[in-house]
Amino acid sequence: MKKDIPIPKVEDVYIAVVNEYNAIYKTQDWNAYIINNKDVDLEMVLIVTNGYSEDKTTSTFRKKLDLLPKKNYAKIELMQEELFALNNSFKVSFFEGNQMFDKTYLFRKNTINLKALQPLPLMDVKGVLVK
């Protein structure tokens, strides 16, 4: 059925993993964010994440955002460093107006690290970005 529904290409929506200081626990944490760099709001954003390799698979995490305003971002989840040895998949679906969009973002194993940090759109921090 899905192959019968035309789903347009996703542009200006990104997933980023950011290393940031947690003042409550006084630790450096890695957090995943979704970034909406579009000039329109995204509605009913569904995010399904999991990590995997040839012999390991993590549990599946699901998050729903009713609205992600234009030129804005939202935190998805805290990521433990042990997950970076796995491929980390973020499947994102959302509505822009009455049109459904869908894209899978993949952080390949060992690509999330301090050496891979780069400036991120809309955020005043550096992180690892997947477009």
Side-chain angles (χ1 to χ4, degrees):
M1 293 289 283
K2 186 176 176 183
K3 65 180 173 55
D4 298 329
I5 301 171
I7 299 177
K9 183 179 177 184
V10 173
E11 294 178 351
D12 297 324
V13 176
Y14 314 114
I15 299 292
V17 178
V18 177
N19 185 262
E20 53 195 354
Y21 183 71
N22 183 328
I24 295 170
Y25 296 108
K26 298 180 177 28
T27 58
Q28 284 294 127
D29 292 341
W30 290 91
N31 292 299
Y33 288 85
I34 182 168
I35 302 171
N36 177 11
N37 202 24
K38 291 179 168 281
D39 291 324
V40 295
D41 296 343
L42 307 183
E43 299 173 8
M44 191 58 70
V45 181
L46 302 173
I47 305 163
V48 179
T49 69
N50 71 333
Y52 63 90
S53 67
E54 288 110 24
D55 56 343
K56 288 184 181 178
T57 302
T58 66
S59 58
T60 300
F61 176 82
R62 293 172 182 84
K63 178 150 181 114
K64 179 184 126 207
L65 302 168
D66 291 325
L67 180 73
L68 182 57
K70 63 183 176 182
K71 300 292 182 183
N72 215 322
Y73 57 90
K75 188 184 288 189
I76 300 171
E77 66 179 338
L78 170 72
M79 294 186 71
Q80 297 177 336
E81 288 190 44
E82 296 80 31
L83 295 174
F84 302 159
L86 304 174
N87 294 309
N88 288 280
S89 171
F90 291 77
K91 295 176 182 162
V92 178
S93 301
F94 59 90
F95 284 92
E96 181 182 318
N98 289 328
Q99 183 71 50
M100 182 181 151
F101 290 77
D102 184 68
K103 183 172 181 176
T104 299
Y105 299 84
L106 180 65
F107 290 92
R108 298 202 182 277
K109 63 181 179 179
N110 300 317
T111 58
I112 302 172
N113 59 64
L114 292 173
K115 294 178 183 174
L117 299 179
Q118 60 181 328
L120 300 175
L122 302 178
M123 300 177 75
D124 290 330
V125 296
K126 291 185 176 183
V128 181
L129 184 72
V130 172
K131 295 182 179 183

